[in-house]
Amino acid sequence: MRILVCALAALSLAACATAPVPNARPLTAEHIATMGPTPVAVGENNLGVTKSWFYQSSAQAGAQFGLIGALVSATLDAIVNYGPSKRATQAADEIAEIMPTEALDASLAAEFRRAAAETPGATGVVIADVSTVQKITAPDAINDAAEVQAFYRLSEDASTLQIGVTVTYHNTALPYVSPYTFEGSPPKTELEGPTYRNTFTYTSNQLPLPVLTPELKERLIVSIQDSARDETGALPVEGTDAFKSMTRELEQARDDELSKAEIAIFLTREWIKDNGALLRAEVENGHAFIARYVVLDMNRTAIPSLEGQDEVVETLADGRTVRRMGSGTLAGSYTSSPGDVAGFATYGNVAAAARAHTDRMTALRETARAEERARRAAR
């Protein structure tokens, strides 16, 4: 089972729990004047567009019964989560075929180049050039460059795409100095780290949810059976966890309600039809928002507060709003949200990536370890 933990921390780094401060680290006027033209390094995306889902665990309930309870819980969890995990991975696989990681990287880099071209002769922090970097094989921070790392995920029902980007800037000649005061010694997290940091989150327009009809129910049943088939096209053997999981999903499919996982079966197809036209449009819109506001924010010196107020900084013709978060550890971060939302999208507690992407990550890590062993042997 290929599961990638996808907590909220994947989109925004948390501040120190003992002495919380906003995650955002604005530049000072002195930093901005010194930096001027600054390179942008887009971190190569390794996960692609992931599919989020909710992993159900009965471990806590089974713990009170000791070893037997733990074994029973593990068996139940395997049955309950087998189908959702497999379907989430299949959805990510389908999306990866029309939107590989290379396409995501190229789109994001292109938007930063476009943002650079739109500000000729501007003062302050401007984009000097744009490159890409693979952080698995080159994990160290790049000195004097704005590093951009993106994460993409579909909601549990696949109605919404969310793009989260973290931008950091390190410069040994311009070390970070915390603008906050603390009782006693500052936490270690405020004594080191990037000179600049912030997060930018784009939420796509929401797809309309399907209406349950007898025809849709039959299509759902067929889809569940097809997803359960092995590489030879055979259905699971009776008595196996895969068979029990399929049986459970078929029972749920025959009721009169559509679960988020069932809705996702149909809406994933909407994202990838017409060679992924809808997905490509939302990705480009998200990247354009991110590139524009990264440059704007790197020229903003206001210090975020834990107790501020959200600020609407832009409202588009279609009702989409850009907000600067005003309170909590996310204060200072930016969000772009659609104006017309039918319901609240949830993102579960885990996310599945395409098999091709996880296999590539494994190969990259093995390469990195081999290179490190070679360096040590040469010393």
Side-chain angles (χ1 to χ4, degrees):
M1 183 184 299
R2 299 168 186 259
I3 300 173
L4 298 173
V5 175
C6 177
L8 291 178
L11 296 180
S12 57
L13 303 176
C16 177
T18 57
V21 296
N23 172 66
R25 290 185 174 184
L27 295 169
T28 66
E30 292 75 17
H31 289 154
I32 294 171
T34 302
M35 289 166 59
T38 301
V40 169
V42 175
E44 293 181 10
N45 188 274
N46 294 309
L47 298 177
V49 178
T50 63
K51 172 61 179 66
S52 67
W53 59 285
F54 189 82
Y55 180 88
Q56 300 183 57
S57 174
S58 58
Q60 186 173 0
Q64 60 183 312
F65 300 105
L67 178 59
I68 294 178
L71 293 174
V72 171
S73 295
T75 301
L76 290 175
D77 291 347
I79 295 171
V80 170
N81 293 302
Y82 181 89
S85 171
K86 186 175 182 179
R87 278 207 310 272
T89 301
Q90 288 175 335
D93 287 342
E94 293 173 356
I95 293 171
E97 291 183 6
I98 57 97
M99 182 64 79
T101 56
E102 295 83 0
L104 295 170
D105 297 340
S107 172
L108 185 54
E111 289 300 337
F112 274 100
R113 292 189 182 99
R114 187 173 291 112
E118 292 175 351
T119 56
T123 58
V125 177
V126 294
I127 300 173
D129 59 78
V130 182
S131 62
T132 58
V133 60
Q134 176 51 253
K135 299 304 291 184
I136 290 179
T137 54
D140 294 338
I142 302 173
N143 192 58
D144 191 24
E147 296 194 60
V148 181
Q149 195 65 57
F151 183 81
Y152 308 80
R153 61 177 177 174
L154 285 178
S155 59
E156 284 186 85
D157 61 8
S159 68
T160 309
L161 171 71
Q162 191 174 78
I163 305 174
V165 163
T166 298
V167 180
T168 56
Y169 173 82
H170 292 79
N171 192 328
T172 54
L174 300 173
Y176 171 71
V177 177
S178 178
Y180 305 103
T181 57
F182 304 91
E183 293 183 6
S185 300
K188 185 178 180 180
T189 53
E190 285 298 291
L191 297 175
E192 58 187 16
T195 307
Y196 168 87
R197 180 177 63 208
N198 210 350
T199 58
F200 305 79
T201 305
Y202 175 87
T203 302
S204 74
N205 292 325
Q206 191 175 47
L207 297 181
L209 304 183
V211 177
L212 184 62
T213 63
E215 179 187 6
L216 192 69
K217 185 182 293 187
E218 289 304 314
R219 287 171 55 194
L220 177 60
I221 291 172
V222 172
S223 178
I224 291 172
Q225 291 173 329
D226 288 344
S227 296
R229 297 181 188 278
D230 60 20
E231 296 178 354
T232 67
L235 289 171
V237 177
E238 186 172 355
T240 63
D241 286 350
F243 179 85
K244 295 175 183 177
S245 177
M246 181 188 70
T247 301
R248 181 175 181 272
E249 290 186 69
L250 289 173
E251 291 174 352
Q252 294 175 338
R254 293 187 175 98
D255 62 22
D256 294 325
E257 295 183 3
L258 281 175
S259 67
K260 293 178 181 178
E262 291 169 344
I263 292 172
I265 293 174
F266 302 104
L267 294 190
T268 299
R269 304 303 195 275
E270 293 298 311
W271 287 108
I272 62 178
K273 75 178 184 181
D274 299 328
N275 195 33
L278 178 60
L279 179 61
R280 295 176 193 280
E282 288 289 3
V283 166
E284 290 177 3
N285 289 339
H287 287 169
F289 150 73
I290 290 161
R292 179 187 175 201
Y293 275 92
V294 166
V295 176
L296 290 173
D297 190 60
M298 292 190 77
N299 286 283
R300 186 173 182 271
T301 59
I303 300 170
S305 168
L306 291 173
E307 299 177 353
Q309 297 292 325
D310 290 0
E311 176 187 359
V312 176
V313 296
E314 184 179 11
T315 302
L316 280 65
D318 62 356
R320 174 173 289 275
T321 58
V322 176
R323 294 176 182 271
R324 184 184 299 113
M325 306 303 289
S327 62
T329 57
L330 292 178
S333 65
Y334 292 77
T335 63
S336 175
S337 306
D340 185 16
V341 178
F344 184 72
T346 58
Y347 294 88
N349 54 7
V350 294
R355 295 176 180 88
H357 298 335
T358 53
D359 289 345
R360 177 172 176 266
M361 288 175 64
T362 298
L364 285 169
R365 291 193 179 103
E366 291 176 351
T367 298
R369 285 193 289 266
E371 291 176 350
E372 178 61 24
R373 288 193 296 268
R375 282 193 294 268
R376 291 179 179 177
R379 292 173 184 171

